[in-house]
Amino acid sequence: MPIHAEETVDVEGGMAVLKKSVTKLTNILEGLPEMPFNTMEYMLLCTYVVSTDSFSLSLLSFLPLMMDLLLSTIYNMCTMKTHYDLSAQLYEEYKKSLMDYLDSLVLPSLRSKHDEYMLKELVRRWFNYKVMVRWLSRFFHYLDRYFVKKRSLLPLREAGIACFRDVVYGEMKGKIKDAVISLIYQEREGSQIDRALLNSVVEIFIQIGLGSNEYYEVNFEDPLLRDTAAYYSRKASKWILEDSCPEYMLKAEECLKQETDRADHYLHPTTKQKLIENVEHQLLSVNEIQLLEKENSGCLALLRDDMVDDLERTYRLFSRIPEGLTHFSQLFKQHVTAEGTAFVSQAENAARSKRVSDQWVQFLSENHELMNLLGFQVLIRRIIELHDKYIGYVQESFQNHTLLNKALKEAFDVLCNKDVASTSSAEMLASFCDNVLKIAGSEKLSDEEIDRTLEKAMKLLSYINDKDLFAEFSRKKLARRLLFDRYANVDHERSMLTCLKRQCGGQLSSKMEGMVTDLTLAKENQSSFEDYLDANPHAYPGTDLSVSVLTTGFWPSYKSSDLTLPDEMVKCIEAFKKFYECSTKNRRLSWIYSLGTCNINAKFDAKSIELTVATYQAAVLLLFNSADRLSYAEIKAQLNSTDEDMIRVLHSLACARYKILKKTPMTDTISPNDIFEFNFKFTDKMRRIKVPLPPVDENKKMIEHVNKDRRYAVDANIVRIMKSRKALGHQQLVLECIQQLSRMFKPDVNLIKQRIEDLIIREFLQRDEEDPNVYKYMA
Amino acid sequence: MRRSSTRKTGSAVPVNPSSGSSDTYRSASSKAVSKEVERIDNLFYAYADASSGLIDPEGIESFCSDLEVDYTDVRILMLAWKMKAEKQGYFTLEEWRRGLKALHADTISKLKKSLSELEKEVARPTNFSDFYSYSFRYCLTEDKQKCIDIESACELLDLVLGFQFRPQVDKLVEYLKHQRDYKVINMDQWTSFLRFCNEINFPSLDNYDAELAWPLILDNFVEWIREKQS
């Protein structure tokens, strides 16, 4: 039909046309029969057909015929100059058509259905309605171009949706929401539900909002979250009473998985996090303490029974909620501390029950045997294993989380600083390492095992406060290893020192490194000495001599004594002195006899036996070459020795395992009235025996030495800090001091105070006149 | 008695060089002053030892008996402080002059009267801390001495602080005699005792914080008291 723009369109006529087309459209949507189409319509149809859907087909067939008419009608109505507010009327007509449709057809059908059926109907209706809106918008399209914008009204499509919202949604929203939630409930309880349906319903909530999620949130999401909270709260209350901790957590994990799945499948993306947080709160936060502290299945039990999977699950779940790991890490710390403390108590009890007497101590030649006896080796080993195990947990199962790392550190800070039977942890660890390094020489353990064990032992060192004490003990033991054990393995020694350096810095390890180097040099020196003797046979002192020349500063300080040596030894010393003087000037040799060893051939009645003894012991024995019987006093006088040394040495020769000397009276202790004779009757199945001389207990001296060093270190540190700061408050000074010295030891606050006071007296520092809590550096 | 400050007032008066009266005035005042100095000096020589030219312990003893004050009385210490006397047991002429002039006392009776004023003066907080420090230094008799022994410290505490802080002093003295860590007290510790009495509630000790810069001896003292209380 030809269109003439000038034609004045009769308003009522135009409206009638519109109404007719709307009705037609409605009927098609309702699936009601419509006028059959004539041939021309069909021809046009062919060119327009896009889909084979009969519904679309009928629409499309309807369209070409009516479209022109509709469009032109509307166009004319809008542009008619005289009726220029026709647009408004058209706009209202548009809306009214839609609302009538909704009121008369959609609502009643929805009202008649319930639950899932209602939802299905809703989705169907919505779909149809959207089609309706789409087409009607096309008809009335001209309004969109000018009228809507001019009047700032909702564009047609949006207006259509708003109609649905006001008419249908307004009334049905509650029921829709209830239906959906009820379906969700069923799904939670295990039934299968039509997820696509729910997806579509949720879509409606979203699209109703016309860009904002307000309706979705208020009418659906909030009630859903409340319902979810209630649901899981009920479940949690039930489970917490009935289930064990692992069972509960399995269920919780499963629920969280399901809810995530649910959210992914048919809820709006913004809901997901809120939903999950909701569930986490109900299942995990609310019952956290009760759950973790369950009597036989809570955290402590899981740790006790090494239930790694369950612990990992616990970590995973509780790391989701804020502050969720606080309690867990506390329990972890509690457990580790308890286990460690149990070991320590066991060792303490064992040590006390042995009631080690001085005699006993002397009988045990080596300190490590003593440590072993007292169970200290076992303790250290156990603590190392404990550390290994739980650091594994932290790093692997707990993803190296800060809180758990901290908990472990705090636990070990306590454990590694406990004394057992008045033996410090520093000493115990030093003995342990000493033992490992001794065995290193004898190939009982493989190289890798040794290195591994030492590395683990060094990890414990990081927790020990008195690192400098450890270093001092280690140094002493290193000295004995280097000088007495000919099997010390230099590589292992160096690798341990590297570990130590890494942990505590060079200050503590430098001296020991010097000691190890010294020994290599000493060996070279010795071979030069031997070459010298070869070249000068007259210089040979009559006895084979080997000397280790050590650098004083590196080695622990030893008392040098004025022991009167037997002639044979004196000759040796003189010979070496001559040699040494040719090769070096300006160096003074100080002889430490207490560290020497001697091989003596002893001619007993039965057979000759070679005795390996300490120099002191040799000195005593050689006296019997010129006398048959000697009293204690005589021996002491001839050797120019002290009572302390005398008792030790004579005991080792007369009252210990090998009785080289005969003592009258035959008691177990040495007294100044004893008489000694060479024991001709002595024999042993071996041709060579070692007669050990137990070392002097120098622990007290060592601790004093360390304390003295500490005083200097604190003094130096305070002065250094004050020099750079000029003025500093007391508490800050103390804090900085502790922090700076922490690599070596943990200074006692009182010690720092003491040193400050001393520095005040020595006029390095003074108190500020205004504020006595502030110190000033006095240049 | 003419006040020694006449010299000051003398200068405030507009001086007319031609006026004869100011001359007389000045000479009169200076005559009075010199009379005072003379009396003070005479008093000094009454007690001083002829050979050393100083008042020695013996002299001080007789001086004290004339004053009717025991020589261990704290007021003698206060007098020494006023004099800024350097050596315990001795007064030099300069010190004597300084003290007596400041007190406006040139006779024994005037001195006696001035003592109560002196006590009040010392009690004023600003003067008291100075007096307190002075009393410690006064006891350092040897050349490079920096500390005083516990016994003397206790006596001094009693003398100097006993009046104001009787309970603290009693307890502190008890502790000092009981403990074995320190055999001498140094200046820093001494100063802290006064601070302690002034600042810390006694006997509750509730505001004492060992984490602050109190000397260790006081930390130990407080701990000792707390142990006894519980």
Side-chain angles (χ1 to χ4, degrees):
Chain A
M1 263 191 222
I3 321 276
H4 301 290
E6 264 72 46
E7 252 179 66
T8 314
V9 178
D10 162 27
V11 174
E12 288 199 27
M15 286 302 195
V17 166
L18 282 170
K19 285 203 171 84
K20 207 169 137 201
S21 39
V22 170
T23 312
K24 189 139 188 161
L25 183 57
T26 309
N27 289 342
I28 291 172
L29 286 171
E30 291 294 301
L32 293 172
E34 254 302 310
M35 291 186 323
F37 301 110
N38 58 36
T39 354
M40 196 158 78
E41 290 165 359
Y42 269 101
M43 266 164 49
L44 285 161
L45 177 65
C46 297
T47 58
Y48 283 103
V49 164
V50 178
S51 94
T52 52
D53 175 358
S54 61
F55 168 72
S56 319
L57 203 66
S58 35
L59 260 182
L60 286 163
S61 63
F62 164 70
L63 196 55
L65 295 169
M66 296 307 289
M67 193 64 147
D68 278 350
L69 179 60
L70 283 167
L71 286 176
S72 59
T73 314
I74 290 172
Y75 177 74
N76 289 340
M77 288 171 89
C78 291
T79 51
M80 264 172 56
K81 289 184 182 124
T82 44
H83 290 97
Y84 120 113
D85 64 359
L86 219 50
S87 305
Q89 208 175 334
L90 281 172
Y91 190 77
E92 289 310 310
E93 187 58 37
Y94 167 76
K95 286 208 292 191
K96 186 167 170 300
S97 313
L98 288 174
M99 291 208 274
D100 285 343
Y101 168 69
L102 290 172
D103 255 333
S104 55
L105 294 167
V106 175
L107 258 187
S109 88
L110 284 178
R111 282 182 191 135
S112 67
K113 299 197 169 55
H114 303 280
D115 307 321
E116 197 172 344
Y117 300 106
M118 182 267 286
L119 290 177
K120 286 200 171 116
E121 180 67 11
L122 175 72
V123 169
R124 188 177 80 86
R125 288 284 174 187
W126 170 254
F127 181 69
N128 286 358
Y129 182 74
K130 281 201 290 189
V131 171
M132 173 115 177
V133 167
R134 193 161 67 240
W135 288 109
L136 274 186
S137 307
R138 282 198 198 155
F139 300 162
F140 287 77
H141 173 67
Y142 193 75
L143 290 173
D144 256 347
R145 290 178 65 187
Y146 297 108
F147 175 70
V148 158
K149 288 194 182 117
K150 204 163 75 160
R151 299 283 189 98
S152 304
L153 293 168
L154 279 176
L156 294 175
R157 289 231 169 96
E158 271 94 357
I161 294 187
C163 289
F164 187 90
R165 183 181 66 207
D166 296 335
V167 176
V168 175
Y169 180 81
E171 186 181 308
M172 301 295 299
K173 65 184 179 207
K175 295 199 192 106
I176 300 172
K177 178 253 302 173
D178 287 340
V180 174
I181 287 186
S182 139
L183 281 176
I184 292 181
Y185 175 80
Q186 286 173 35
E187 192 184 40
R188 283 178 175 154
E189 292 290 297
S191 320
Q192 291 260 52
I193 59 169
D194 185 348
R195 283 182 157 190
L197 174 64
L198 286 187
N199 208 352
S200 309
V201 174
V202 167
E203 271 303 304
I204 298 177
F205 277 105
I206 299 285
Q207 288 179 8
I208 283 279
L210 291 173
S212 114
N213 284 350
E214 192 196 325
Y215 293 91
Y216 171 75
E217 282 170 13
V218 173
N219 300 134
F220 175 68
E221 194 187 59
D222 285 348
L224 172 66
L225 290 174
R226 276 197 300 271
D227 179 80
T228 308
Y231 177 80
Y232 281 108
S233 168
R234 280 197 305 277
K235 291 282 175 188
S237 315
K238 185 160 159 286
W239 294 342
I240 195 73
L241 293 172
E242 295 173 354
D243 296 324
S244 72
C245 176
E247 284 169 359
Y248 183 104
M249 287 198 299
L250 268 166
K251 288 184 184 169
E253 203 172 42
E254 187 57 40
C255 289
L256 283 165
K257 205 165 83 177
Q258 274 183 26
E259 293 298 324
T260 313
D261 192 53
R262 180 162 300 126
D264 285 337
H265 272 101
Y266 52 78
L267 296 177
H268 192 262
T270 54
T271 309
K272 182 166 164 186
Q273 192 181 342
K274 295 178 203 168
L275 184 69
I276 299 295
E277 274 173 15
N278 193 312
V279 177
E280 282 170 354
H281 178 75
Q282 291 302 331
L283 287 180
L284 299 173
S285 301
V286 170
N287 290 326
E288 182 187 350
I289 309 277
Q290 218 183 333
L291 181 65
L292 292 177
E293 294 202 358
K294 262 199 175 243
E295 186 71 41
N296 295 318
S297 64
C299 265
L300 291 176
L302 295 177
L303 285 164
R304 265 199 310 267
D305 300 333
D306 295 329
M307 310 290 282
V308 181
D309 284 338
D310 291 319
L311 287 166
E312 280 181 11
R313 183 167 301 112
T314 317
Y315 172 78
R316 269 202 309 274
L317 288 176
F318 281 95
S319 54
R320 287 161 157 248
I321 54 177
E323 324 245 327
L325 289 174
T326 318
H327 200 67
F328 180 61
S329 52
Q330 288 291 25
L331 288 172
F332 180 64
K333 176 172 146 189
Q334 202 183 322
H335 169 80
V336 173
T337 313
E339 289 227 336
T341 313
F343 293 154
V344 171
S345 306
Q346 279 172 26
E348 181 86 46
N349 289 336
R352 266 202 231 122
S353 71
K354 296 280 195 297
R355 255 184 295 158
V356 181
S357 68
D358 288 325
Q359 297 278 54
W360 197 233
V361 168
Q362 290 209 318
F363 181 69
L364 295 169
S365 55
E366 302 290 346
N367 194 244
H368 80 265
E369 282 178 27
L370 176 66
M371 288 285 159
N372 232 341
L373 189 74
L374 294 178
F376 293 162
Q377 298 282 56
V378 173
L379 176 63
I380 297 290
R381 184 169 293 284
R382 277 174 168 175
I383 295 193
I384 289 180
E385 280 163 10
L386 189 74
H387 186 256
D388 236 16
K389 176 175 173 189
Y390 287 110
I391 199 114
Y393 273 34
V394 172
Q395 283 170 350
E396 286 150 24
S397 306
F398 305 148
Q399 294 169 10
N400 221 5
H401 191 274
T402 336
L403 271 181
L404 285 145
N405 251 322
K406 185 163 160 262
L408 187 74
K409 179 176 183 304
E410 285 172 6
F412 275 89
D413 272 342
V414 168
L415 286 176
C416 291
N417 289 300
K418 282 193 190 243
D419 287 353
V420 179
S422 40
T423 312
S424 64
S425 53
E427 188 180 351
M428 287 195 277
L429 189 64
S431 295
F432 180 83
C433 294
D434 179 52
N435 211 28
V436 173
L437 286 161
K438 275 201 184 118
I439 300 180
S442 68
E443 293 167 23
K444 277 194 201 148
L445 288 175
S446 77
D447 278 347
E448 299 92 52
E449 272 179 46
I450 291 177
D451 281 336
R452 243 202 333 263
T453 313
L454 286 174
E455 251 197 78
K456 289 185 190 174
M458 285 293 105
K459 282 204 193 128
L460 284 195
L461 183 62
S462 65
Y463 299 112
I464 293 184
N465 287 338
D466 298 333
K467 297 183 180 52
D468 54 352
L469 193 60
F470 169 82
E472 200 54 28
F473 275 111
S474 296
R475 200 159 73 113
K476 263 252 151 32
K477 292 174 199 291
L478 175 67
R480 289 192 73 81
R481 279 201 304 278
L482 292 175
L483 296 174
F484 291 114
D485 297 348
R486 277 159 282 229
Y487 305 106
N489 184 318
V490 178
D491 293 327
H492 287 296
E493 299 286 349
R494 283 212 189 275
S495 80
M496 166 152 155
L497 289 175
T498 324
C499 266
L500 183 63
K501 195 172 184 168
R502 249 206 317 268
Q503 284 276 0
C504 310
Q507 222 166 341
L508 294 178
S509 63
S510 63
K511 287 189 189 156
M512 289 193 261
E513 284 172 356
M515 284 162 70
V516 176
T517 319
D518 256 3
L519 217 64
T520 331
L521 291 176
K523 287 203 176 92
E524 283 170 21
N525 208 359
Q526 172 65 18
S527 57
S528 320
F529 178 58
E530 281 164 15
D531 289 340
Y532 163 85
L533 287 179
D534 284 341
N536 304 295
H538 61 273
Y540 183 69
T543 330
D544 286 339
L545 168 73
S546 87
V547 178
S548 304
V549 181
L550 314 171
T551 317
T552 318
F554 296 149
W555 294 76
S557 45
Y558 297 102
K559 264 188 321 187
S560 65
S561 62
D562 295 318
L563 197 69
T564 311
L565 291 176
D567 286 335
E568 294 92 330
M569 294 191 192
V570 173
K571 280 205 203 110
C572 293
I573 300 215
E574 290 304 314
F576 188 83
K577 265 200 193 140
K578 276 215 192 73
F579 157 74
Y580 196 69
E581 265 146 35
C582 339
S583 47
T584 49
K585 310 259 182 264
N586 308 326
R587 296 243 187 112
R588 201 166 56 85
L589 286 176
S590 163
W591 294 86
I592 313 289
Y593 303 123
S594 53
L595 296 176
T597 49
C598 198
N599 288 343
I600 295 189
N601 248 327
K603 296 200 175 78
F604 299 104
D605 282 345
K607 66 177 194 230
S608 293
I609 299 181
E610 191 181 300
L611 304 173
T612 305
V613 291
T615 308
Y616 271 53
Q617 292 165 309
V620 168
L621 289 175
L622 284 170
L623 290 177
F624 288 90
N625 271 347
S626 37
D628 289 333
R629 304 182 81 216
L630 287 166
S631 72
Y632 176 92
E634 286 170 321
I635 298 178
K636 183 172 165 202
Q638 287 192 38
L639 289 181
N640 188 27
S641 159
T642 63
D643 279 321
E644 200 191 329
D645 288 332
M646 280 281 86
I647 294 178
R648 243 178 4 116
V649 174
L650 288 170
H651 189 280
S652 69
L653 293 171
C655 311
R657 185 172 167 195
Y658 302 116
K659 294 183 171 41
I660 313 293
L661 294 177
K662 226 168 32 171
K663 184 171 84 82
T664 329
M666 289 244 308
T667 54
D668 268 337
T669 51
I670 304 291
S671 86
N673 303 317
D674 291 343
I675 312 283
F676 296 88
E677 286 174 72
F678 184 67
N679 186 7
F680 286 99
K681 299 269 181 271
F682 175 81
T683 191
D684 191 87
K685 65 177 187 317
M686 305 297 282
R687 289 214 140 246
R688 274 204 206 112
I689 55 178
K690 186 171 173 204
V691 185
L693 176 64
V696 184
D697 180 17
E698 289 172 314
N699 280 7
K700 277 208 202 82
K701 247 186 266 169
M702 205 159 21
I703 292 176
E704 258 176 49
H705 182 76
V706 168
N707 280 336
K708 200 166 71 162
D709 279 348
R710 284 184 182 180
R711 282 201 291 275
Y712 291 145
V714 174
D715 277 358
N717 196 263
I718 293 176
V719 170
R720 192 171 45 237
I721 295 174
M722 290 307 297
K723 197 167 178 180
S724 75
R725 306 293 219 94
K726 303 286 180 239
L728 196 58
H730 172 84
Q731 273 152 323
Q732 276 155 291
L733 179 58
V734 170
L735 273 171
E736 276 202 41
C737 196
I738 292 180
Q739 201 234 349
Q740 285 186 18
L741 291 169
S742 63
R743 257 186 137 183
M744 298 241 289
F745 64 98
K746 191 167 169 188
D748 182 37
V749 176
N750 282 353
L751 174 66
I752 300 180
K753 243 196 192 179
Q754 221 178 54
R755 301 323 300 160
I756 293 177
E757 279 172 33
D758 198 64
L759 287 167
I760 291 179
I761 296 183
R762 282 148 63 196
E763 293 180 16
F764 278 91
L765 304 178
Q766 67 184 31
R767 284 187 204 262
D768 185 77
E769 293 93 36
E770 312 287 309
D771 183 356
N773 269 318
V774 171
Y775 304 108
K776 292 211 295 229
Y777 181 68
M778 290 172 74
Chain B
M1 179 192 82
R2 273 302 172 84
R3 299 171 67 85
S4 53
S5 54
T6 33
R7 241 180 293 145
K8 274 196 224 151
T9 47
S11 59
V13 170
V15 175
N16 193 338
S18 58
S19 154
S21 60
S22 60
D23 279 345
T24 3
Y25 186 69
R26 206 187 300 134
S27 64
S29 64
S30 53
K31 258 207 206 129
V33 163
S34 58
K35 264 262 151 116
E36 188 193 10
V37 171
E38 218 185 294
R39 279 199 288 273
I40 289 175
D41 285 1
N42 287 341
L43 203 55
F44 179 80
Y45 289 119
Y47 298 108
D49 173 60
S51 49
S52 64
L54 304 165
I55 300 185
D56 63 5
E58 259 185 57
I60 291 185
E61 223 175 309
S62 59
F63 168 60
C64 289
S65 71
D66 287 347
L67 264 182
E68 288 169 3
V69 171
D70 192 70
Y71 77 89
T72 55
D73 194 291
V74 68
R75 288 172 288 178
I76 299 300
L77 186 57
M78 290 181 184
L79 200 57
W81 171 72
K82 203 69 186 164
M83 292 184 196
K84 297 202 202 316
E86 283 195 19
K87 198 160 175 200
Q88 190 181 49
Y90 296 87
F91 295 143
T92 67
L93 177 61
E94 199 181 315
E95 290 165 358
W96 182 263
R97 278 180 183 166
R98 190 184 295 137
L100 270 68
K101 264 206 202 121
L103 290 173
H104 316 304
D106 53 7
T107 63
I108 289 292
S109 56
K110 278 187 198 155
L111 254 175
K112 257 197 250 181
K113 287 196 196 114
S114 72
L115 284 180
S116 55
E117 271 304 311
L118 180 60
E119 274 181 288
K120 286 207 196 93
E121 189 187 340
V122 168
R124 267 182 257 142
T126 35
N127 291 333
F128 189 76
S129 51
D130 189 58
F131 167 70
Y132 179 78
S133 310
Y134 171 81
S135 60
F136 183 86
R137 285 197 301 276
Y138 195 60
C139 291
L140 301 173
T141 46
E142 302 302 312
D143 210 10
K144 292 247 172 90
Q145 192 182 355
K146 291 219 174 111
C147 311
I148 54 178
D149 64 278
I150 292 285
E151 268 303 317
S152 312
C154 291
E155 279 173 29
L156 193 62
L157 272 174
D158 186 67
L159 190 67
V160 163
L161 290 182
F163 182 68
Q164 257 186 307
F165 301 108
R166 178 50 53 199
Q168 287 95 321
V169 168
D170 282 346
K171 258 292 181 272
L172 190 52
V173 163
E174 191 191 332
Y175 173 71
L176 287 174
K177 293 197 174 150
H178 161 90
Q179 56 83 40
R180 294 266 161 271
D181 300 318
Y182 295 91
K183 304 225 169 44
V184 292
I185 299 291
N186 64 49
M187 184 56 148
D188 186 56
Q189 288 162 320
W190 177 256
T191 322
S192 69
F193 293 154
L194 178 61
R195 204 158 58 87
F196 179 85
C197 292
N198 275 327
E199 290 178 20
I200 302 297
N201 300 334
F202 200 83
S204 67
L205 303 173
D206 53 4
N207 61 340
Y208 184 86
D209 184 357
E211 309 241 319
L212 294 176
W214 294 104
L216 211 47
I217 195 173
L218 281 176
D219 289 345
N220 297 343
F221 171 55
V222 167
E223 206 183 299
W224 175 79
I225 292 187
R226 284 184 176 148
E227 264 169 33
K228 285 183 78 183
Q229 277 172 353
S230 66

